Structures are given as structure tokens and as C-alpha cells.
Amino acid sequence: MKLRKVTAAAAAALVLSLTATACGGDDGDSDSTDSGSSGGGKIKIGIKYDQPGLGLKEPDGSFSGFDVDVATYVAKELGYKPDQIEFVETKSADRENALARGDVKFIAATYSINDERKQKVDFAGPYLLAHQDLLVKADSDITEATDLNGKKLCSVTGSTSAQNVKDDFAPKANLKTVSGYSECLSGLQSGTVDALTTDDSILAGFAAQSQYKGKFKLAGLKLSNENYGIGVKKGDTATVDKINKALEKMVADKAWDKAVQDNFGPAEYKNEPAPKIGVIVK
Amino acid sequence: MFDFLDGYDVLAAFWMTVKLTVISALGSLIWGTLLAAMRVSPVPLMRGFGTAYVNIVRNTPLTVIIVFTSLGLADTFGVTMGSEDFAVQGFRLAVLGFIVYTAAFVCEAIRSGINTVPVGQAEAARAIGLNFSQVLRLIVLPQAFRSVIGPLANVLIALTKNTTVAAAIGVAEAAALMKTMIENEAQTLAIGAVFALGFIVLTLPTGLFLGWLSKRLAVKR
């Protein structure tokens, strides 16, 4: 019965190693002290990795975008240098859980403030007011929202933008939904769709990319109000207050304007002025 | 408790999943059987095609195939599948992709069934003067099918769950509605549980019924 002994030993070893890792899962790099200044700790921040101009992971592993700039500024105000920031990808469906579990300290990832989400997480901000808009070919004649019903639109499955099209302003539009905005661009280039629709900030980020320069333009329609907030774990009001102060300072010392110009400049994005903290435009 | 379900047509989404599954299953059964016939045929060209097809398709991720039908066929080559309406177009493209992919697995299951039929059966059939297609149609395949209901049930259950990939090209099936609900309601776990249960309701009876059928029809040798 040698085999049974070996199996038992292996099982015991497995159980031991599992319990060991369960205890050692937190290797002390999440800084949970609320002192503001960190003693060489790290801060984890949730962003998007796939939205140029807002949150993008570059091929060399660096991060760029307006959300990234805002997050970096806020982290600086909380007492963390750029090299102490660890960016984590938080996809849309994952944002509430990442905060509830404490995976990240806060989230800056095109996170529109709405009532359902407010029940799950707390929001600082808003730090940007975006509107749903259309990205069309540079020579397109779509300038008004009146005749979208006869148009071929493209958006992302399940996104708020796709639902708005169906429920509100163009229920009869021929809507194609795909898994990522970049997939809409191939249809837009080949002419199988007339327009890509989502928040103008996201569209501006795509239009500003070098390979698309001059090919597309924003139609400039204000189809909805999207108040981007910074998500924080429910009940962590101390952090919300600190982030709000940081955002106010960012606007006051013009760093906010610079971040907008850096990230959306090439797309000729007519951004809204910086929103007032706590004022949500319905 | 379940108030997050208000205002969503979960049944319609699962009905779309069922439609995708049934049409793709029928299509891949036909195409997979043809492929299996090719792979055991006496014509080298057909054998080569069948083998190459199965090995290429079986080793390509399904997501790649489905996204290619949308980005490659529809966007780049302008294949409209007979409809300008994106909802219909996406459905047909998805079915095409599922048939292409699942047929490779159906083919291999059927081929393993063909291998369970004793060589003597085919030799006897040849001896009374039947040609290749008659041997296959009348003697070998009926016995082969009876022995592979179990493996085919596995393929069908896998296909049922694979239809969620169609959400990637915008087919309004269960996984697409799940995405929408999570986006709006911010209740990942509860919503995920509801949809997981929905798939169990679809696949568990299928598995039990086909398991019973395979026992009943198995060729006793």
C-alpha cells in the first residue's frame, strides 16, 4: 500500500501549501493607513487598459490617458510618488467587486455616476462631464440627432450607450454591437456602419490616435450626460474627501486643463469645463 | 431579492441561446457527418481535405472564428448573409461560425464510432456488391451513430455553452443580456448565478436524456 501513503502525503502537502498561501496572500503592499503620507507603501488604482486617451496600457508597459493622469495627480495628493502606483485593470463589469474586495484603493475608469452604482460604491468627483456622441467619417454629413433611426450604428454589447440608442433616441436604428470599440472602427473604415456611438471622451481618444488622424470626426451631439466619478469603497468617506480636495486642486492649478489638452487635443474635442465637485448633471 | 430582474427579458435571451444551439447543432451534425465520410473515404484528396479541416478548425479558438465572421467576412469582405439588419446578420454569422467549429468535433466523434463497427460488416457489405456510399449509408453509419450518442451529447452541451461567444459579435443571447444587466445593476454575483442556473436548466436535461438514449440504443456486441 505504498501508493496510498504517497497520495496521502501529497494531499497533506497540498493542503498545507494552500493554507500557507491563503495566509500569505497579502504581502503588505496595500497601504491601508489613512495617514495620507505613505511610508514607502504602494497604492493600487483601477483603470481601463483598452481606451486610448483615457486609460491605455502602451506596448512598453507604461500607461497613458486622461483617467491615468487624474489618478496619478490624486495619488500624488494622497502622498504617493508615481513609482509607488500600481495600476490594475478594472473592466466595466468588475469595478464594484474590485472596490468591495479592496483590490484597489480607488477607480478612475470612465466610471459614470448613477443611482444603482451609488448603492454599491461611493463616488468622489465628478471630474469630467462627457456626453454620448457619434464618431463619423471625416466627410460625413451627420450633424444632428434627428435622423439616427435610418442609420447604421455600432457600439459595445451591454454598454449604456448601446442601451440609450435602443431605448431613447433611435429605437429603429440598425445597431451593431461588438465586444470592443476598436472593432467598430474596422466597420466604420469599410463603411459597413455609419457611426460609432459612445461617450465623446472615449471617441476623442480613438480619433486622436495617430493611425486615424484626419479620418474621423466627432459629430458634436450631446445625447446624454455622463458624469465620470472616482469610485471608492462604500463607506470610505475619508478617502472620498481627500480625493475631492485633490480634484479641486487639480482644477485650480490648471493641471486638469493640461491633462485634457494632452489627451484629447488632436481630436478637436470640445470638452465641458471642469465640473463642480458633487454636482451631477442629470 | 430578485428585483434586479425587473425590466429585463431573460426568457427572450435564453430563447435566442436555444435557437442558436438547435440550428448550429443540426448544421454541424450534417457537415460533421460529411467530414467523417470524407475522412474514411477511399479518395486521397477527400481524406486530405477532411484531415486538414479538422486539425485546423479544432485548434483555432472559437472566439477567433466568431469574431472573424464579423470583422473579416462582414466588415472586410462585405458578406451580409442575406440581410442588412445587423441583428439578423449577426445571428446568421454566429450560426455559420458555430457550424464550422462544432462540425470538426462531430466529425471526430462519428469517426470514432465508425471505428467501433467490426471490419467484417463492411467486408460483408462489399461482398454483396454495395458501393462505398451504400456501405457507409446502409451498414456502417447507422451502427456508428448508435455508439456515439454519448460523445455527441458532450459536443451538444459544449455547443450550448459556446453560444455565449456570440455576444462578442452582438447577438442578443443570454451572455449579452448578462453584460447589459451587470452594467446597469452592479450585482455581478446574483446576476451571474441566475444565468449559470439558466444554462444548467438547458444542459442538464439534455445530458440526462441523451445518456439514457445512448444506453438504450447501444449496439450490444
Side-chain angles (χ1 to χ4, degrees), chain A residues 120 160 163 174 176-177 186 190, chain B residues 75 84 86 169-170 180 184:
Chain A
K120 298 271 167 186
T160 317
Q163 293 175 56
N174 192 357
K176 179 176 187 159
T177 60
S186 80
S190 66
Chain B
D75 286 355
E84 283 297 315
F86 285 131
I169 60 169
T180 307
N184 296 347

Side-chain angles (χ1 to χ4, degrees), chain B residues 149-169:
Chain B
I149 290 172
L152 284 179
N154 280 345
V155 173
L156 179 61
I157 287 170
L159 171 65
T160 309
K161 293 181 292 182
N162 282 345
T163 55
T164 53
V165 176
I169 60 169

Side-chain angles (χ1 to χ4, degrees), chain B residues 79-163:
Chain B
V79 176
T80 56
M81 300 297 282
S83 170
E84 283 297 315
D85 183 0
F86 285 131
V88 180
Q89 201 182 96
F91 179 83
R92 290 177 186 173
L93 286 167
V95 167
L96 177 72
F98 290 129
I99 290 175
V100 163
Y101 178 80
T102 313
F105 293 89
V106 171
C107 162
E108 290 306 271
I110 291 173
R111 209 163 59 95
S112 74
I114 290 172
N115 291 337
T116 65
V117 180
V119 183
Q121 295 272 332
E123 284 170 348
R126 292 291 294 164
I128 59 170
L130 301 179
N131 64 23
F132 172 74
S133 80
Q134 285 171 317
V135 173
L136 208 58
R137 262 198 350 256
L138 304 171
I139 310 294
V140 176
L141 277 183
Q143 296 182 63
F145 267 113
R146 287 172 60 175
S147 62
V148 293
I149 290 172
L152 284 179
N154 280 345
V155 173
L156 179 61
I157 287 170
L159 171 65
T160 309
K161 293 181 292 182
N162 282 345
T163 55

Side-chain angles (χ1 to χ4, degrees), chain A residues 92-97 114 116-117 120 152-153 157-160 163 174-180 183-184 186-188 190 192-193, chain B residues 8 67 70-71 74-76 78 84-87 89 167-171 175-177 179-189:
Chain A
S92 291
D94 207 32
R95 291 180 296 211
E96 292 81 20
N97 285 337
N114 72 20
E116 284 82 7
R117 288 170 181 166
K120 298 271 167 186
K152 291 184 256 181
L153 303 175
T157 309
S159 65
T160 317
Q163 293 175 56
N174 192 357
L175 178 68
K176 179 176 187 159
T177 60
V178 291
S179 57
E183 286 171 31
C184 284
S186 80
L188 194 55
S190 66
T192 42
V193 294
Chain B
Y8 296 104
V67 169
S70 169
L71 292 187
D75 286 355
T76 312
E84 283 297 315
D85 183 0
F86 285 131
Q89 201 182 96
I169 60 169
V171 181
L177 181 67
K179 268 192 181 153
T180 307
M181 286 172 69
I182 288 175
E183 174 92 11
N184 296 347
E185 307 294 327
Q187 297 204 48
T188 322
L189 286 179

